[in-house]
Amino acid sequence: MTTAPKAVLIVDLGTQYAQLIARRVREASVYCEIAPPSRALEVAARLDLAGVILSGGPASVYAADAPRVPAKLLELGVPVLGICYGMQWMCQTLGGHVQAADKREFGRTSLVIGRAEALFTGIEGRTVVWMSHGDQVERLPAGFEVYASSDTCPFAAAGDARRGFFGVQFHPEVTHSLRGFEMLQNFLVEVCKLAGDWKPASIVEREVEKIRAIVGNDGEVVLGLSGGVDSSVAALLIHRAIGSRLHSIFVDNGLLRKNERDVVEATFKQHYHLDLTVVDATDRFLTSLRGVTDPEQKRKLIGRDFVDVFKKEALRFQRAHFLGQGTLYPDVIESVAVHGGNTAVIKSHHNVGGLPKDLNMGLVEPLRELFKDEVRAIGRYLGLDERIVNRQPFPGPGLAVRILGEVTAERCALLREADHIVTSEIEAAGKHTELWQYFAVLLPVKSVGVMGDARTYESCCAIRVVSSTDGMTADWALLDHELLSRISNRIINEVRGFNRVVLDISSKPPATIEWE
Ligand code: XMP
């Protein structure tokens, strides 16, 4: 039986960087969880706690609406690192004083390290860090010493090594803080004495045991396999735990990219020997979509059909009382709405939201504690094909949201060929590793062209290539002229039905990555 991993609790005090801090901690091979202040003590009690990180946040510690952090966090007997607001709160709570700084400090700042110890072990002299604060600590609590300073911030880093309490006014989690990762690593290794053993092998072992404990000796699981990295890795973990008691279902909705179904079948049926049912539901989806041009309507119909088809298949496995899902950690983190803003529903992402309740099944979610990078690392560890490990995100409604106007079998076939040219050329040129997504879009316009001596009147294909770190914001990416012209020539010469190719040069926001 594996024991729970030693863990760090990250208390989100309203920062935009909570997940970034968590990813850095995980990169240092340490398990961590994020909790809002209201649940911090409860989560701390559940973990095998080795340290706490208090994040930054937009409030002032002396403001009435400042997040209420439980002071008991400082009495748990584990080291605490406060970042920006976290440092200010800790210092104030321990008897120091915080006030508005004479000069606000934003952006790159030169940090002078006075003591190359604890957080700064191995980091001497000066380094560049990222600051973003209006308040700062003006008087340190008893027992605290200065570790580093900047021109306008005398206590840019301070701490009490005896208690393991440290505070930094800057943000070590962002890459602009050149040696920030080393500082976080030092906190974990030097201060919290963590071994850094949260690695694919131990994660797999732990998840497999957990799955077995949930499912029992004869329980069965059904899982919707999409061929994306999340459901694929979830399937491999569950399969490793319970073998043929996992039944995976792949729904071909007719809206997939070229070769997609073949890769999934070859990988999971032939290579991993999963019990995989491939349902060809193309006709059903295309019939529902006939005459539909409204983007939200398309998404709704596809979501509904998916649930119906999946449910029918899942119910065939009468002994299966569990549903496997590739839910990731970012989907389950409670976010802290310090600004109280509304998050508008921009697009109704359907995914498999309606499934669990409907089916009345228990859930098996082996990726619930993992970030995407960790899921990829586990996929590789389990020998998963790189084409799946590195697969670019593909929306649930598939090509339907890249076909503007009506979705028909012919228009799907047209887009599928052009998209294959875009993806294969970009991959052959080795450019895909820098990109978040790269695909073709079928526009609902026809335009005049000339081929040979004849006039043509055909469709227009847009190329969408973006870089992004999480899909929330994105920049359009420029490919070199030669690659773009090869893609354009091939589409027009090889795909009957297109006579024009255009490049989408819009960023998100205000555009979105998908066109619908
Ligand atoms: P947008 O178009 O909103 O897309 O900028 C952001 C990211 O989400 C993906 N996307 C989806 N993923 N189901 C999904 O699983 C969906 O319905 C869906 N719609 C968009 C999109 O590909 C991009 O990566």
Side-chain angles (χ1 to χ4, degrees), residues 429-472:
K431 297 286 181 208
H432 59 298
T433 52
E434 302 149 28
L435 300 170
W436 172 262
Q437 272 171 301
Y438 43 101
F439 55 85
V441 180
L442 172 52
L443 302 188
V445 283
K446 288 195 169 182
S447 68
V448 173
V450 56
M451 247 182 190
D453 287 331
R455 175 186 181 277
T456 58
Y457 188 59
E458 289 178 338
S459 293
C460 180
C461 174
I463 301 177
R464 182 71 166 141
V465 185
V466 297
S467 58
S468 171
T469 48
D470 53 10
M472 302 297 285

Side-chain angles (χ1 to χ4, degrees), residues 109-123:
T109 305
S110 178
L111 184 79
V112 181
I113 294 158
R115 301 168 77 106
E117 299 158 22
L119 301 190
F120 302 103
T121 303
I123 311 171

